[in-house]
Amino acid sequence: MKDKKAQVTIFVIFGLILLIGGVILFYMRADIAEIISEDISVVDEVDTNLRPIKNYVEQCMYDVGLEGFRIIGANGGYLSPMSTNAFRYDYARVDQNDGLMFTEDYFIPYWSYSVDPKDNYWFFQQVRAPSLEDIEQDAKRYLENNLLRCLDNLSDLDYGTDLFIEGMPEVKIQIGEDKILLRTDMPVRIVEDNRVVDEFYTEIPLPFKRYYDVALGVAYSHQQTSFVENMILALIGYYGKVDSNALPPFFDFKKGYDFVVWSQMDVEMKIKQMMQSYIQTIRFVGAKNSLKLNMDHLDQMEKDFFNKGQINLFNEEYIDDAEISLVYVDAPIYSRVFGKNTDSSTIRPEKYTSSSMIGASTVEHTYKFAYDLTIPILAELKFDPIFENEEPFVFMVGLESNIRKNLRWMDYAVGNGPIIWDDSFIQYDFGDGVEMTTSELTGLSIPAGQPEKKFFGNEQQFLSGDIVVNVYDDASMELVEGVSVTIGVGDYASAVIGSTKEQESGEIQFRGKAPLVTNGYLVFDKLGYARQIKKITTREGEDQTMNIRLAPLTTKNVSMRVYDLDVNSYRDLKDNETVIFMISRIDEGDKIVSFSRFLQMGKDSSATLELIPGRYTVDAMLIDGEGVIIPKNCDKECYYDPWPFKTCEYYPDDNIVMQPAMWGGLEFKEEDLFYLSRDNVYGDNEIQLSVLRFKTPDCIDGLEDMSKKNALTLQHQTNLLPTFN
């Protein structure tokens, strides 16, 4: 027992280091940024008659540069987050994602997020934000790629001859304290007299560094104080009651045979509604939209709740031109309530029965529940425009809020969580005297964010032989152009090494070299196709050729029907019914990366679904808006009081109403058969999906169907497999 206590102490110290280190890093960041930013000098002045060219180009630099920074702010500090392969999003694993996915092209990364959040023994919250150097590089790339678009009409300047731009622009950007400095080297030649203007400089009076500091402060405040988690726990404590219309309580008990049952789906919906109603009560003191209320009419609990939502982050002058709002955007959440008598579908209390010496019995139900939650929150920072008639500058930041077993990450960090398991407790014996612990067996890992990652992507380290890749469309078997090729090694590093394009021979393929890796991987990615991985080991001077088949994402029109177990036949969805359908492809050795899709349909709604061939797991829920009713006095419990006189008590005393009710669906697990063939996916336009509706319950025992979804699915499998038209 002494060793376990010592381990807990280590993690307490580790948690405190995280808390203190985050604060130190936040206040040191401004000094670090000055070191890493590149110095930019003002260019020399030009002749007066060349000034129109210089003015035109510098105005374009200003317009395109500001446009780029607006895009970066709206994307959470990144130009195009999902194109970097640094972030992941899986609709089937909400608690394992790296940000909020709004559309396929719009993703906001988390700046504050949990590490290993599904670990019941230990998890912690950390801050990951792009550096100012990273943002400068993104802005540089945007300006270099889009400046010429703005210069299309440069030749309209009246010089009596043609103007010719020689080469691509080379841009340098520096984010200063209260402005952004831009310099572009790009020769513009006057054809008639061969004069050249090749240096351009402008400044954008945008205090982006302060905007970045405010965004970083919001992320660190979320990590250090858990202000969202505090609000959630307070609301569950307030709304948790022994009532099917409320949330399951942290703790309560009631005597009698009557008891309350909740569904996990219903609790998840209530948590979402609660977040939409209350998240904006969290405000930042000093911001333009901070709340100033007269609290004389509030009771003490309401005052305490309001005060906990007022976050003191900066001195008021630092954010008095900003509106800082927290928003829950009805995104998927991870929600699970645990207790001794709960499962993936239902939440029930524990039942205790005691008997007296004369045979009388007393029944008591104990309601003791623990919540696991992951809820994505969007922080929107809106700063006043610098000039009139301009739009405000918007900076978006993703915040992942996590609760495990009713605890915040800092509760685990200071030792209030469960005892930490250490893999060194296990010793492996391989025979012949060879013994090894788990940590020795798995080896050491290099933490993310080390400088070696940038070294890995340096083209001077591309020492392999020639790598040739032919990428084919799995449907048409034609070669695909524009497929991005990335090489990586575990969690250590990755780098884009090129793309498929037309070669001198006329073939469309990737040809190039790569860093030397052992047991690495190649990622092939193109919009409209499922991302694919292939293992690779590269050696100096060793050539390789490989063929890849990328599966195109084929869009199907979806129709939905219900197989009703009350009548054992199909019917259409009713007005009050909604189906939530999640489908995830199983890896069959072709290494297609986490392909999952989600759809929600009502009676008259239309939907489409992107599919690729393969085997799938499916989890669907049929939500009945009218709900189901367990009639009162439908069951009984009898006892002798006293012997031999038999007494029966009927329960429940009143109707149990579950509204809405998760009363159907289907579930195909990995070992079950749900297969979409190439002919079905690539050859047909419509897919018809089916879900079960459970039998209407006669009494409480009928609720057991909610936990038998997989068994009922397999029982009626032939009626539930998809059909194609």
Side-chain angles (χ1 to χ4, degrees):
M1 190 65 188
K2 179 180 178 182
D3 292 339
K4 289 186 178 181
K5 287 184 177 179
Q7 290 178 28
V8 173
T9 303
I10 291 171
F11 279 99
V12 170
I13 295 171
F14 176 61
L16 293 175
I17 290 172
L18 283 173
L19 288 169
I20 297 169
V23 175
I24 294 174
L25 178 60
F26 175 57
Y27 286 107
M28 290 180 63
R29 193 212 52 73
D31 294 332
I32 295 172
E34 289 302 316
I35 297 172
I36 64 176
S37 293
E38 185 177 6
D39 182 47
I40 295 178
S41 58
V42 179
V43 301
D44 295 332
E45 194 57 57
V46 298
D47 294 340
T48 302
N49 60 349
L50 297 178
R51 190 67 206 177
I53 297 176
K54 198 167 187 303
N55 289 344
Y56 193 101
V57 174
E58 289 174 351
Q59 183 61 48
C60 274
M61 289 168 56
Y62 181 101
D63 294 339
V64 176
L66 180 58
E67 182 181 83
F69 274 96
R70 285 189 179 278
I71 292 172
I72 290 170
N75 286 343
Y78 299 85
L79 183 60
S80 181
M82 293 303 282
S83 67
T84 65
N85 295 322
F87 302 99
R88 67 178 185 271
Y89 191 90
D90 187 344
Y91 288 94
R93 299 293 304 274
V94 176
D95 58 318
Q96 298 288 309
N97 290 328
D98 291 333
L100 294 91
M101 180 73 78
F102 295 92
T103 67
E104 190 174 25
D105 299 319
Y106 190 33
F107 175 83
I108 303 294
Y110 290 134
W111 283 28
S112 172
Y113 71 108
S114 63
V115 177
D116 201 13
K118 297 262 325 222
D119 186 347
N120 292 329
Y121 297 99
W122 173 258
F123 80 99
F124 63 93
Q125 195 87 5
Q126 74 177 25
V127 170
R128 173 184 59 190
S131 68
L132 285 176
E133 182 185 40
D134 294 332
I135 293 174
E136 287 173 348
Q137 289 301 311
D138 268 356
K140 172 182 183 295
R141 187 167 71 253
Y142 185 83
L143 187 54
E144 288 178 341
N145 291 339
N146 291 276
L147 181 58
L148 295 182
R149 163 175 56 85
C150 181
L151 297 176
D152 281 345
N153 296 322
L154 178 64
S155 58
D156 290 347
L157 294 178
D158 187 13
Y159 277 88
T161 184
D162 291 333
L163 299 175
F164 182 67
I165 298 176
E166 299 179 342
M168 298 298 292
E170 295 181 5
V171 174
K172 296 178 182 179
I173 294 180
Q174 180 179 342
I175 300 172
E177 284 294 329
D178 56 359
K179 58 187 175 184
I180 301 168
L181 314 180
L182 296 85
R183 171 174 172 148
T184 298
D185 294 330
M186 178 186 65
V188 178
R189 186 178 301 278
I190 303 174
V191 174
E192 184 177 72
D193 54 14
N194 211 32
R195 286 181 298 168
V196 174
V197 185
D198 58 1
E199 294 179 336
F200 306 91
Y201 173 87
T202 191
E203 298 177 356
I204 302 175
L206 187 75
F208 184 89
K209 183 172 177 292
R210 177 168 66 87
Y211 299 169
Y212 172 89
D213 285 342
V214 174
L216 197 60
V218 170
Y220 272 114
S221 179
H222 176 259
Q223 181 220 24
Q224 301 295 325
T225 67
S226 298
F227 51 74
V228 176
E229 290 84 344
N230 294 339
M231 182 200 74
I232 295 170
L233 291 171
L235 289 170
I236 294 174
Y238 182 77
Y239 287 110
K241 299 175 183 178
V242 182
D243 184 342
S244 61
N245 294 317
L247 291 169
F250 293 136
F251 180 80
D252 205 342
F253 67 92
K254 296 288 184 183
K255 292 184 177 181
Y257 292 96
D258 197 8
F259 61 92
V260 175
V261 178
W262 295 266
S263 74
Q264 296 279 7
M265 186 65 188
D266 184 46
V267 170
E268 180 177 324
M269 293 175 64
K270 285 184 169 66
I271 294 291
K272 287 183 174 183
Q273 293 168 0
M274 185 177 73
M275 294 305 299
Q276 289 174 330
S277 299
Y278 287 97
I279 187 62
Q280 294 198 40
T281 62
I282 298 177
R283 297 298 176 94
F284 294 84
V285 176
K288 288 181 63 178
N289 60 336
S290 60
L291 293 177
K292 299 177 178 62
L293 296 180
N294 181 355
M295 294 194 292
D296 294 341
H297 64 288
L298 303 180
D299 61 32
Q300 189 58 46
M301 185 181 68
E302 291 170 328
K303 290 179 181 179
D304 291 342
F305 179 79
F306 173 81
N307 289 331
K308 286 180 181 179
Q310 307 309 297
I311 311 302
N312 287 285
L313 188 59
F314 307 97
N315 62 55
E316 297 187 10
E317 292 76 19
Y318 205 62
I319 56 173
D320 59 2
D321 65 337
E323 293 182 4
I324 306 177
S325 303
L326 300 182
V327 182
Y328 170 66
V329 291
D330 197 26
I333 70 172
Y334 170 72
S335 171
R336 181 73 184 270
V337 180
F338 292 91
K340 287 189 176 180
N341 201 17
T342 65
D343 55 34
S344 61
S345 300
T346 58
I347 304 164
R348 299 166 179 255
E350 301 171 60
K351 178 181 177 181
Y352 297 94
T353 303
S354 58
S355 300
S356 67
M357 295 183 65
I358 61 173
S361 61
T362 302
V363 175
E364 179 179 288
H365 291 94
T366 299
Y367 299 81
K368 185 177 181 181
F369 301 116
Y371 284 75
D372 275 13
L373 298 169
T374 296
I375 301 177
I377 299 298
L378 183 65
E380 181 187 59
L381 289 64
K382 188 179 295 185
F383 297 88
D384 286 348
I386 303 301
F387 301 109
E388 292 183 4
N389 301 321
E390 281 191 352
E391 294 292 326
F393 189 92
V394 177
F395 212 124
M396 298 291 196
V397 174
L399 307 173
E400 185 190 59
S401 298
N402 291 282
I403 292 170
R404 295 293 178 266
K405 304 300 180 289
N406 297 341
L407 298 175
R408 306 159 301 170
W409 83 271
M410 62 180 63
D411 297 318
Y412 285 78
V414 298
N416 291 333
I419 297 294
I420 310 302
W421 175 258
D422 189 340
D423 284 340
S424 64
F425 293 164
I426 300 178
Q427 189 83 11
Y428 293 85
D429 187 354
F430 295 95
D432 298 327
V434 179
E435 294 185 353
M436 196 174 296
T437 65
T438 301
S439 58
E440 291 170 339
L441 184 66
T442 55
L444 299 176
S445 62
I446 299 177
Q450 295 296 314
E452 287 85 345
K453 282 195 172 184
K454 294 184 179 179
F455 186 70
F456 180 82
N458 189 328
E459 291 189 6
Q460 295 179 357
Q461 305 303 314
F462 290 11
L463 303 177
S464 74
D466 290 332
I467 298 174
V468 179
V469 184
N470 301 301
V471 181
Y472 295 91
D473 183 297
D474 186 53
S476 66
M477 294 306 297
E478 296 179 354
L479 290 167
V480 183
E481 189 173 5
V483 178
S484 171
V485 183
T486 300
I487 191 168
V489 184
D491 293 331
Y492 161 58
S494 64
V496 177
I497 57 174
S499 62
T500 58
K501 57 186 177 182
E502 186 173 351
Q503 306 296 325
E504 292 182 1
S505 62
E507 295 179 289
I508 296 174
Q509 55 188 195
F510 166 79
R511 285 182 176 269
K513 297 181 183 294
L516 303 183
V517 300
T518 300
N519 296 325
Y521 59 86
L522 290 175
V523 179
F524 302 94
D525 193 15
K526 180 179 172 64
L527 188 65
Y529 290 83
R531 187 181 301 171
Q532 192 164 333
I533 290 179
K534 183 175 179 62
K535 293 181 180 179
I536 188 172
T537 294
T538 57
R539 296 182 177 88
E540 189 168 354
E542 182 177 295
D543 298 341
Q544 298 187 55
T545 300
M546 62 187 72
N547 297 318
I548 301 295
R549 287 167 57 171
L550 280 189
L553 304 181
T554 305
T555 301
K556 301 291 184 187
N557 295 318
V558 179
S559 61
M560 187 72 65
R561 61 182 178 177
V562 177
Y563 190 78
D564 195 328
L565 294 183
D566 280 336
V567 293
N568 286 321
S569 64
Y570 295 110
R571 63 170 173 81
D572 294 332
L573 283 169
K574 296 180 180 178
D575 289 334
N576 53 14
E577 290 178 330
T578 301
V579 172
I580 296 175
F581 199 94
M582 180 80 70
I583 182 169
S584 299
R585 191 179 185 277
I586 300 168
D587 181 12
E588 298 182 288
D590 49 13
K591 301 301 180 184
I592 290 178
V593 181
S594 62
F595 181 82
S596 299
R597 289 298 183 265
F598 166 92
L599 65 85
Q600 178 173 328
M601 293 188 68
K603 178 183 178 183
D604 296 321
S605 61
S606 59
T608 58
L609 190 63
E610 289 183 332
L611 295 172
I612 59 176
R615 290 177 58 239
Y616 286 82
T617 62
V618 180
D619 191 2
M621 292 166 283
L622 174 67
I623 302 171
D624 188 334
E626 286 189 358
V628 296
I629 298 176
I630 307 298
K632 67 179 182 179
N633 299 329
C634 63
D635 207 344
K636 65 181 179 180
E637 186 159 336
C638 299
Y639 53 90
Y640 294 95
D641 187 18
W643 180 269
F645 300 103
K646 184 177 181 180
T647 301
C648 293
E649 292 190 8
Y650 290 84
Y651 64 92
D653 294 335
D654 296 306
N655 291 341
I656 297 177
V657 179
M658 298 176 61
Q659 184 180 19
M662 190 191 73
W663 205 247
L666 77 162
E667 182 180 21
F668 285 99
K669 296 183 179 180
E670 187 165 338
E671 62 271 19
D672 303 329
L673 178 63
F674 192 99
Y675 179 75
L676 304 181
S677 70
R678 296 179 77 253
D679 289 341
N680 290 146
V681 172
Y682 297 145
D684 298 297
N685 293 323
E686 181 174 314
I687 180 172
Q688 184 171 60
L689 302 174
S690 304
V691 294
L692 287 171
R693 186 191 186 277
F694 303 143
K695 287 185 177 180
T696 302
D698 297 323
C699 201
I700 291 174
D701 290 344
L703 296 176
E704 294 179 0
D705 281 356
M706 298 173 70
S707 61
K708 297 179 180 177
K709 189 164 63 172
N710 178 245
L712 290 170
T713 297
L714 297 181
Q715 181 181 340
H716 300 276
Q717 177 172 307
T718 56
N719 299 312
L720 297 174
L721 291 173
T723 60
F724 293 84
N725 300 311

